[in-house]
Amino acid sequence: MDLLAFFTSSPSALDKDTARAFAAAWGIEYVEKGRRIATQGEPDPMEHIILDGRAASQISDPEGRAVCVGFQAGPCVVTPNVARTRNGISLVSIDVIADALVAQLDSRALTELMLASEPIRDWANRILQQELARKADREWCLAALGGAERLAWFRKGFPCHEDLFSHYLIASFLGVTPVTLSRLRGAGRDTALD
């Protein structure tokens, strides 16, 4: 998907003139599978939109164990900079897991555009609100649901992701082991056959 189409077709659609001016401010880069668009612990001043391809956001502990905290399947906005950085330093690594077309804009430039344009400000605020709601929903899932219910929650909220992302990442995102996820998936298949 191209950036102009993305800005004019989303639920938070911009009018064509605003979308055209907004799209012109973004740079677009082809990013190969295996590269990162942000690295935990390093400066990250950018906003990112995955136009095509896939990426996963992960947080690693000092021993290198990673936990998946988000999925991006294009076209989509990556978690806004303000929600994934502290003092300009990335709290997550965002790994491209399928070749991607990524639009990028310096977050300070986005702030300036938001101050100058009410439609852009409204668009960006809706994106941030949606992301915060997704994060709160996942926190609730991890705190309140058991394994089978977590998988059902995931399937409802991310209907195509089971086919797009590795089961290792999905298990990590759901706070279960890959073996547990495999068992839950198998139990679901067995139930569906009954």
Side-chain angles (χ1 to χ4, degrees):
M1 173 176 278
D2 71 46
L3 197 53
L4 182 59
F6 179 75
F7 288 144
T8 58
S9 66
S10 70
S12 305
L14 296 169
D15 65 81
K16 284 204 183 276
D17 290 336
T18 302
R20 194 173 292 111
F22 192 33
W26 294 73
I28 298 178
E29 177 184 4
Y30 173 78
V31 183
E32 293 177 344
K33 176 182 176 179
R35 286 190 45 214
R36 283 193 167 154
I37 58 175
T39 302
Q40 181 180 337
E42 294 184 10
D44 179 18
M46 306 303 283
E47 302 293 348
H48 310 281
I49 297 174
I50 307 287
L51 295 171
D52 189 33
R54 296 187 305 277
S57 299
Q58 298 185 77
I59 298 173
S60 297
D61 68 15
E63 286 78 44
R65 292 180 298 249
V67 174
C68 181
V69 294
F71 298 104
Q72 297 84 37
C76 69
V77 176
V78 173
T79 302
N81 186 279
V82 68
R84 65 180 161 75
T85 65
R86 291 296 173 269
N87 301 317
I89 303 299
S90 185
L91 299 172
V92 300
S93 291
I94 305 171
D95 298 312
V96 174
I97 61 170
D99 293 351
L101 192 60
V102 182
Q104 298 179 317
L105 176 67
D106 187 284
S107 63
R108 290 170 297 183
L110 176 59
T111 299
E112 291 172 13
L113 289 166
M114 290 170 66
L115 292 172
S117 169
E118 186 175 345
I120 291 173
R121 180 173 51 250
D122 291 345
W123 177 88
N125 284 333
R126 278 192 297 272
I127 296 295
L128 182 58
Q129 289 171 350
Q130 291 166 0
E131 183 60 28
L132 294 175
R134 269 193 292 274
K135 286 183 178 292
D137 198 31
R138 178 173 175 260
E139 286 177 13
W140 174 84
C141 169
L142 293 175
L145 301 178
E149 293 84 9
R150 288 181 193 183
L151 180 57
W153 169 88
F154 179 80
R155 286 175 168 165
K156 181 179 179 187
F158 304 89
C160 298
H161 283 36
E162 234 175 316
D163 296 327
L164 298 176
F165 294 92
S166 75
H167 294 163
Y168 177 82
L169 286 173
I170 294 169
S172 175
F173 183 76
L174 293 176
V176 299
T177 67
V179 170
T180 298
L181 179 63
S182 180
R183 288 183 182 143
L184 292 170
R185 294 179 77 236
R189 279 190 301 271
D190 293 345
T191 303
L193 295 175
D194 291 341

